[in-house]
Amino acid sequence: MITLSGITYTYPNTKTIHFKDLTIKSDEHCLVLGNSGSGKTTLLNILTGLLKPSSGTVNINQQDLYQLKGNDLDQWRARHLGIVFQKSYLIPSLTVSENLRVAQKFAKLKEDKNRILEVLEQLQISDRLNHYPKQLSMGQLQRVSIARAVLNKPKYIIADEPTSSLDDENAKAVLDLFLAQAAANQADLIIATHDKRVKDCFPNTYQI
Amino acid sequence: MTIVGISIKALKAKKLSSFLSVLLVAFGMAIITTLILVSHQLTQKLERNAANVDAVVGAKGSPLQLILSSVYFIDFPTGNIPLKNFEEIKRNRMVKTAVPIALGDSYEGYRIVGTEPSFLQLHQLQIAEGKLWSKNFEIVIGADVAKAKNLKLGALIYGSHGLTTGAEVHEEHPYRVVGILSKQHTSADQLVLTPLSSIWGMHHHEEIVEEEQDITSILIQYRSPVSTILFPKMINEQTNLQAASPAIESARLFSLVGIGFDVLHYFAILIMVIAAISVFITLFSSLKERKYDLAVLRILGASKQQLFTMMLIEGVILTFIGALLGLAAGHILVEVLGSLDGASQVLFSGYLFLNDEFYVLWAGIGLGIIAAIIPAIQVYRYDIAKILNN
C-alpha cells in the first residue's frame, strides 16, 4: 500500500506544487495523469525516494521513505521498486546478461542466471542475452530495461511515459507487456503518462 | 559482476584512450626502472672494484683518469712511472700493501695487466682452475674472458699492442693460460693477469735493463685510516707523482654522471604527470556519457561509496597495468643494454629486482588514485534524479 500525504515540492525557482493526497491499495495498478510540465516526473521522483519533498510523507508498505537515509534508501529502492525510465539507460560496456547481473549484485541478491533467463524469455528477448545495448533496437532496449526493473521481483513497477513515443499498435503491446509482467511478478504498476490511450486499462487514475 | 569487473569492462569499451594512458604510465615507469637498475648496478660495481684500494699512485695528470684506468680498467692510463718509485713507496711506513700495475696491451678487447701476485690478494681473487703464474708469459684470466673466448687451461693467446682491438699483434710471444679466476662480478672478470716481466719482455726484445722497467700505477692499501690525508699530501708535494683516491674520484664521477641521471629522472616524472593527466582526462571525459549509467547503478542499489570506489579502481587499473608493463620494459631494456656491451667493463643485468621498484609500483598506484579522485568525487556527488530526468 502506498500513501502520499501533504506532499509539496518547491522548485529552485521557488514555484511550489501541492500534490493531492493519494492512497494506492495493494494489488491495484495506478495511472498518474498529467500534461507535460505538470509535475508527473517530480511526483515519481518523490515516490521513488530520489527527490525529498519540501513537506509531507511518503509511506510504502509501512515504510516512511524519507526516514531512510543514504545507502539504506538506495538499498530499499533496489529491493522494492522496479523503475523504468523514458530512456533505457543500459550500461553500454556490458552485455544484456551482465546488465541484469549488475542489478542483482547491487540489490545484494545472489546472482541467479536462471531468473535472468526466465525474465528475458517472458519478454521474448532471451536470444539477445550476450548482445551489447548498441546492437539492440529501441523496442528491444525497452524490453531489457523492463526486464531489469522486474528482475528482483519488486512490489511496485514504476514507469515514466513508457508509451508516449510509440504508435497505437506498439503502445498497446508495451502496455500489455507491463500488465503481463506485473501479473507474472505479483507487482503493482504505477505509470505516469500524458498518453490518454493508456487510460482505459486502468481503473485508478491520479490526476495532477 | 564485481565492481572491478564493471570497471574493467568500462575501460575496455574505450580502448584507445585507455591504451594511451597505460602507454604513458608504462613509458615513464620504464625510464624510472631503468634509472634505478643502472645506477644501482653502476654504484655497486664501482664500490666493489674499489673495495680494498685506498689510493692509486701514478703519473701526474687527471686523477679521475688514473682511477678509471687502474681500478675500473676503463679509461686510458695516465703515463708510465719508473719501477723504482714502486720500491720506494712499498717501503713507506704508511703503506700496508702496494701492488704495481702495468697496462698497455690487450687481448681481443680484454686488458692484459702486468702485476704481482699481491694483486690477487688485494682484490681477494680466487683461482677456480689451475694455478698462479710461475714464469713469464703465463697468464691467469678472468671468468668472463674464459667464457667469452672459450679458453681452457693450456690455451695459447696472442696479445696486441694498445688497449683497443685491431692493433698490431705481438705474434712472437704467445701467452699460456695457467689459471682461471672464479667469477667476481668486478672488472677482474674481464682481465688477463700476467707477471710484470712479461709486459717488459714483450716490448724489449733484448735483455731488460733496469731503466726500462716502467709501470703504469701502484694500488695502495694503507696501514691506518690516518694516512688518508697524509699519504696523498706526501706524494703530491714531495714527488712528481700523484695519488688519487677511488672514493673521492668515483664520487666526483657520479656527481658528473648524476646530472644526466637527474635530467632523466625529472623527464620520467614529467611523463608520469602527463600520464596522470591523461588518466584524469580519460575518466573525466567519459563521465559525460557515463553519468546516466552511473546514476542508474544507484537506482539499482549501488551506494555513493561504491561508485566512488569504482572510479578510483578504474584509475588504478590503468596506472597499475602501466606500472607493471613499465617495470617489465625497464628490466628488458637493462638486460638488452647489458648484453649489447658484451666485453665492456660495466655489465648490467635485467634479472635483478630491487626494493626501490616496489616503491615505484606503489607510486604508480598512488598516481592512479590522484588522477581518479576528482572524477570519483564528482560521481559521489551525483544528483541522480536530475541526471535521469534530463
Side-chain angles (χ1 to χ4, degrees):
Chain A
M1 193 168 83
I2 297 180
T3 48
L4 300 179
S5 50
I7 300 285
T8 65
Y9 182 75
T10 306
Y11 289 96
N13 62 9
T14 71
K15 186 187 146 199
T16 301
I17 304 187
H18 294 265
F19 292 102
K20 287 185 288 184
D21 288 358
L22 167 71
T23 302
I24 308 171
K25 296 198 196 90
S26 294
D27 307 322
E28 273 182 12
H29 300 324
C30 179
L31 200 62
V32 177
L33 281 172
N35 294 323
S36 302
S38 60
K40 286 193 305 290
T41 300
T42 304
L43 184 69
L44 283 198
N45 285 339
I46 289 171
L47 198 61
T48 49
L50 292 175
L51 189 67
K52 196 174 177 0
S54 309
S55 65
T57 55
V58 180
N59 255 291
I60 301 180
N61 291 357
Q62 281 93 47
Q63 174 66 54
D64 185 344
L65 217 51
Y66 290 95
Q67 292 297 312
L68 292 170
K69 293 278 178 283
N71 299 343
D72 292 340
L73 183 58
D74 288 334
Q75 268 303 301
W76 184 90
R77 186 192 302 119
R79 293 288 185 92
H80 295 86
L81 306 180
I83 306 174
V84 181
F85 294 93
Q86 284 175 356
K87 286 183 204 148
S88 60
Y89 292 138
L90 296 173
I91 296 169
S93 56
L94 302 180
T95 63
V96 167
S97 154
E98 287 165 340
N99 263 289
L100 297 186
R101 275 154 66 194
V102 164
Q104 288 174 332
K105 182 220 152 53
F106 283 118
K108 299 204 170 99
L109 296 171
K110 249 202 170 140
E111 274 193 19
D112 183 350
K113 285 185 182 155
N114 292 332
R115 172 64 185 157
I116 290 173
L117 216 54
E118 181 187 33
V119 173
L120 289 178
E121 265 163 14
Q122 283 169 9
L123 289 157
Q124 294 163 348
I125 40 165
S126 54
D127 56 330
R128 295 286 182 269
L129 196 65
N130 295 315
H131 285 57
Y132 285 91
K134 65 175 178 221
Q135 298 169 301
L136 303 182
S137 69
M138 288 301 287
Q140 289 169 329
L141 287 174
Q142 194 180 29
R143 282 162 188 257
V144 176
S145 67
I146 295 171
R148 185 172 61 182
V150 302
L151 185 68
N152 297 336
K153 297 192 173 166
K155 285 279 156 287
Y156 295 95
I157 300 168
I158 298 170
D160 193 4
E161 299 281 15
T163 58
S164 51
S165 59
L166 303 174
D167 58 35
D168 287 357
E169 201 178 318
N170 280 310
K172 176 83 172 72
V174 166
L175 205 60
D176 288 345
L177 216 55
F178 271 101
L179 289 167
Q181 281 302 308
N185 297 295
Q186 283 131 32
D188 297 339
L189 276 179
I190 297 170
I191 293 181
T193 188
H194 68 272
D195 189 352
K196 300 279 193 278
R197 297 172 296 187
V198 181
K199 212 171 165 181
D200 305 336
C201 308
F202 288 80
N204 276 343
T205 55
Y206 175 86
Q207 182 77 42
I208 296 175
Chain B
M1 284 309 313
T2 59
I3 290 185
V4 177
I6 299 171
S7 293
I8 290 173
K9 291 215 79 168
L11 292 174
K12 274 188 183 169
K14 40 183 178 163
K15 284 197 183 68
L16 206 63
S17 53
S18 299
F19 174 72
L20 181 69
S21 302
V22 168
L23 198 68
L24 279 168
V25 177
F27 194 49
M29 283 292 181
I31 293 178
I32 289 179
T33 306
T34 307
L35 284 179
I36 289 176
L37 289 176
V38 166
S39 69
H40 175 86
Q41 295 186 37
L42 202 59
T43 318
Q44 218 186 25
K45 200 120 194 169
L46 291 182
E47 280 170 3
R48 230 202 271 245
N49 267 316
N52 301 306
V53 181
D54 293 326
V56 180
V57 174
K60 286 231 189 281
S62 152
L64 180 58
Q65 191 187 353
L66 182 62
I67 297 296
L68 288 178
S69 60
S70 301
V71 179
Y72 304 117
F73 300 99
I74 29 185
D75 205 357
F76 290 96
T78 42
N80 287 345
I81 57 174
L83 185 67
K84 66 177 168 50
N85 289 141
F86 167 66
E87 304 295 345
E88 286 161 20
I89 285 170
K90 199 178 169 186
R91 283 193 297 271
N92 189 299
R93 61 186 168 75
M94 286 190 266
V95 173
K96 183 178 163 202
T97 316
V99 180
I101 282 184
L103 297 169
D105 285 358
S106 64
Y107 161 67
E108 311 236 345
Y110 297 102
R111 293 187 177 203
I112 298 174
V113 180
T115 186
E116 289 185 347
S118 55
F119 184 87
L120 281 80
Q121 286 142 27
L122 180 75
H123 283 302
Q124 295 166 353
L125 305 179
Q126 310 289 329
I127 294 178
E129 280 178 66
K131 58 179 176 57
L132 192 66
W133 58 78
S134 51
K135 56 178 188 284
N136 281 2
F137 302 109
E138 287 186 341
I139 51 172
V140 172
I141 58 175
D144 288 354
V145 185
K147 201 177 165 199
K149 296 297 164 193
N150 196 21
L151 296 176
K152 301 273 183 291
L153 294 180
L156 294 178
I157 63 166
Y158 291 94
S160 53
H161 194 67
L163 298 176
T164 47
T165 45
E168 173 206 343
V169 176
H170 297 300
E171 280 177 334
E172 58 274 35
H173 285 299
Y175 291 103
R176 178 188 294 276
V177 179
V178 295
I180 298 171
L181 296 173
S182 60
K183 181 97 177 161
Q184 307 290 324
H185 300 285
T186 65
S187 300
D189 293 335
Q190 283 116 20
L191 296 181
V192 174
L193 304 175
T194 190
L196 279 174
S197 44
S198 308
I199 304 284
W200 299 325
M202 186 66 77
H203 295 102
H204 305 283
H205 306 298
E206 304 85 40
E207 270 302 288
I208 305 159
V209 287
E210 200 177 313
E211 285 73 45
E212 286 168 333
Q213 291 179 344
D214 283 345
I215 57 170
T216 307
S217 59
I218 308 160
L219 306 180
I220 307 287
Q221 203 172 27
Y222 296 138
R223 210 174 280 281
S224 105
V226 184
S227 315
T228 311
I229 298 159
L230 293 178
F231 182 80
K233 197 168 145 81
M234 186 272 286
I235 293 289
N236 293 335
E237 286 176 1
Q238 298 175 14
T239 68
N240 57 350
L241 304 174
Q242 67 161 331
S245 147
I248 293 172
E249 295 310 319
S250 49
R252 208 159 68 86
L253 174 67
F254 240 75
S255 72
L256 293 174
V257 178
I259 298 168
F261 273 53
D262 283 349
V263 169
L264 270 176
H265 203 113
Y266 289 125
F267 182 61
I269 289 175
L270 182 72
I271 291 176
M272 301 285 269
V273 169
I274 294 173
I277 294 172
S278 158
V279 171
F280 168 73
I281 291 173
T282 300
L283 296 178
F284 200 80
S285 64
S286 75
L287 286 188
K288 210 171 184 177
E289 48 198 55
R290 282 180 70 200
K291 63 180 179 188
Y292 305 107
D293 318 335
L294 294 168
V296 163
L297 288 182
R298 290 282 307 282
I299 298 289
L300 296 176
S303 65
K304 288 176 169 192
Q305 294 85 338
Q306 278 174 313
L307 294 194
F308 181 84
T309 314
M310 207 166 104
M311 291 313 290
L312 289 190
I313 288 173
E314 287 185 22
V316 170
I317 287 174
L318 289 178
T319 54
F320 186 68
I321 293 175
L324 283 183
L325 288 179
L327 279 181
H331 281 275
I332 292 168
L333 193 68
V334 172
E335 184 63 27
V336 168
L337 279 178
S339 62
L340 274 184
D341 63 1
S344 97
Q345 304 300 315
V346 182
L347 279 175
F348 298 118
S349 165
Y351 293 101
L352 177 79
F353 296 91
L354 303 169
N355 281 340
D356 283 359
E357 295 176 59
F358 283 105
Y359 298 126
V360 172
L361 203 56
W362 283 115
I365 293 171
L367 203 70
I369 293 176
I370 291 168
I373 195 99
I374 292 175
I377 289 173
Q378 212 188 17
V379 169
Y380 185 86
R381 288 189 180 157
Y382 270 165
D383 179 348
I384 45 181
K386 212 178 211 168
I387 290 168
L388 291 175
N389 293 312
N390 269 338

